[in-house]
Amino acid sequence: WTVLLCFEIVYKIIGISFLFPFFEYSLSLLPKMIGENYLSQENILKLLYNPLAVLLIIGICLLAGLFIYFELTALILYSEKGWSQERITVWGLLKETAVKTAGLLLPKRLPVFLFLPVMLLSAFAMASSYMRLFQVPEFIMEYLVGNLFILLMAVIVLFHLLFFSYLFGLPALLLNKMSFLNSWRESLRLLREKKLRTIGYLLFCTFIFMAILSGVAVVCICLLAGGVRLFYGADSG
């Protein structure tokens, strides 16, 4: 576990120190490209008519996708090493993860980046500490809920079905050097006649995870409250 801990420390340092500031600066350039002070639902479509803005958005999305898949790839490789009882160093994990993640840029694997919105809008998002940081802007979500609610619900249901059908696709893509299409076929093959059992196991694991998370939160709150009472007296708060 120390290898995974050190990897996460390096990963988060890179994200917080370099990548996120770069994203923030790049996004701040978009309003200026269309001659506006800020983006809103009235002017956001103007970005589509500016080739440089479109290229910048694609570049940001691609770089963000690589960053997210870098962590997912590391977790899959780390789990595979543990399953096969192989040892790996932090440097070895970083190097192998970089090679595997770069391989996603091959034309036959590149469509996997189109799957990121599916994971982001799924209640069962794959493990990545930064995936939930990428959200649909609030004013866009308000417009969709207020005007296209039925369509939005249909898209969310569709995305969950797509996510479930590709549940085992990413490991197959990374570990077996498959194309995106073949990895999806492999995922469907593994799910064949096991859909209900897999859904039940997925729900069970999600429930256990949320219960543990809630338990940790309750313990932390109790410890904090006990500390406040201990240092500031029983009448504080």
Side-chain angles (χ1 to χ4, degrees):
W1 63 269
T2 54
V3 172
L4 190 59
L5 177 62
C6 292
F7 170 85
E8 287 292 337
I9 291 174
V10 173
Y11 177 77
K12 285 177 171 55
I13 287 175
I14 294 174
I16 294 171
S17 301
F18 302 103
L19 210 58
F20 289 167
F22 175 75
F23 286 154
E24 185 176 359
Y25 171 74
S26 299
L27 291 173
S28 69
L29 298 177
L30 292 176
K32 300 175 183 177
M33 290 183 173
I34 57 174
E36 301 285 349
N37 294 323
Y38 57 88
L39 293 178
S40 65
Q41 62 187 45
E42 286 80 18
N43 60 33
I44 193 170
L45 291 180
K46 290 183 180 180
L47 293 173
L48 300 178
Y49 299 97
N50 189 310
L52 289 178
V54 172
L55 287 176
L56 180 59
I57 292 172
I58 293 175
I60 293 172
C61 291
L62 186 60
L63 189 57
L66 282 171
F67 186 66
I68 291 173
Y69 275 130
F70 190 84
E71 184 181 22
L72 292 175
T73 301
L75 293 172
I76 291 172
L77 290 175
Y78 185 82
S79 300
E80 178 66 16
K81 295 294 183 182
W83 179 262
S84 58
Q85 297 184 349
E86 297 180 31
R87 297 186 64 86
I88 189 170
T89 63
V90 177
W91 171 245
L93 182 61
L94 287 168
K95 184 170 63 173
E96 192 167 347
T97 299
V99 172
K100 293 287 187 182
T101 306
L104 297 178
L105 296 175
L106 293 174
K108 65 178 183 179
R109 295 179 176 180
L110 199 58
V112 75
F113 288 93
L114 299 176
F115 204 78
L116 281 173
V118 175
M119 291 192 287
L120 290 173
L121 291 179
S122 170
F124 305 102
M126 295 182 182
S128 175
S129 58
Y130 287 119
M131 287 202 69
R132 292 304 180 184
L133 296 179
F134 297 91
Q135 299 178 351
V136 178
E138 186 177 350
F139 70 89
I140 295 180
M141 186 58 69
E142 289 179 356
Y143 175 80
L144 292 174
V145 172
N147 299 276
L148 302 169
F149 180 76
I150 296 178
L151 178 60
L152 178 62
M153 291 299 101
V155 169
I156 291 176
V157 171
L158 175 62
F159 276 15
H160 277 78
L161 291 174
L162 290 173
F163 171 82
F164 182 72
S165 68
Y166 197 65
L167 190 61
F168 303 114
L170 191 58
L173 182 75
L174 293 169
L175 301 176
N176 300 330
K177 299 180 180 180
M178 292 183 174
S179 65
F180 176 70
L181 184 59
N182 286 338
S183 67
W184 204 324
R185 290 171 179 166
E186 177 66 10
S187 180
L188 292 174
R189 186 190 69 80
L190 293 172
L191 285 170
R192 193 174 300 145
E193 299 180 359
K194 299 177 183 178
K195 294 181 178 64
L196 291 179
R197 186 171 66 180
T198 304
I199 290 174
Y201 186 73
L202 188 62
L203 290 172
F204 174 76
C205 290
T206 302
F207 173 78
I208 294 297
F209 174 76
M210 295 304 297
I212 293 174
L213 200 63
S214 300
V216 171
V218 170
V219 170
C220 291
I221 292 172
C222 291
L223 290 175
L224 182 61
V228 170
R229 286 180 174 271
L230 179 64
F231 289 102
Y232 296 99
D235 295 332
S236 59

